[in-house]
Amino acid sequence: MRRHAIGIIAIALLGVGIFFLIWPPRDSALQWLHGSSVRIGVVLLAVWLAWPEISRVPRWMYGLVTAGILIVMIQPKLVAFVVPALVVVWFLRPREKI
């Protein structure tokens, strides 16, 4: 059910983006809505496409990625260390037995 909801929201946001592409807002206060709806819609569309793989990611990995994003937001120069560390943790994580 979550995948369906994500797909519907992505289509709605992309629809808003297309609407504002055809009829641009006259008010400058609404111009942010066009850009943000397209960007968020594209990201949600990518999440919708990758949902089967995302659902298999361990829950603790979401916490590590969130912590990595916060560290990079505070110190952008640490991106050269955070991204490789997350990749190493991903490949060294315990595997599920099939």
Side-chain angles (χ1 to χ4, degrees), residues 66-80:
T66 303
I69 289 171
L70 290 175
I71 290 170
V72 170
M73 285 174 59
I74 294 170
Q75 280 292 349
K77 292 181 181 181
L78 292 178
V79 72

Side-chain angles (χ1 to χ4, degrees), residues 38-96:
V38 170
R39 288 183 185 116
I40 295 171
V42 169
V43 169
L44 285 178
L45 187 62
V47 169
W48 178 79
L49 287 172
W51 187 257
E53 287 79 22
I54 291 174
S55 63
R56 288 185 267 164
V57 174
R59 295 208 183 268
W60 55 266
M61 191 63 164
Y62 293 121
L64 284 179
V65 170
T66 303
I69 289 171
L70 290 175
I71 290 170
V72 170
M73 285 174 59
I74 294 170
Q75 280 292 349
K77 292 181 181 181
L78 292 178
V79 72
F81 297 107
V82 171
V83 172
L86 288 175
V87 170
V88 167
V89 168
W90 175 256
F91 284 114
L92 295 179
R93 77 182 194 279
R95 304 282 181 197
E96 293 180 14

Side-chain angles (χ1 to χ4, degrees), residues 7-50:
I8 291 169
I9 294 169
I11 290 171
L13 287 171
L14 289 174
V16 169
I18 291 171
F19 176 81
F20 281 133
L21 182 66
I22 296 171
W23 296 285
R26 294 187 182 126
D27 188 12
S28 62
L30 289 178
Q31 289 180 353
W32 65 271
L33 186 60
H34 175 246
S36 62
S37 64
V38 170
R39 288 183 185 116
I40 295 171
V42 169
V43 169
L44 285 178
L45 187 62
V47 169
W48 178 79
L49 287 172

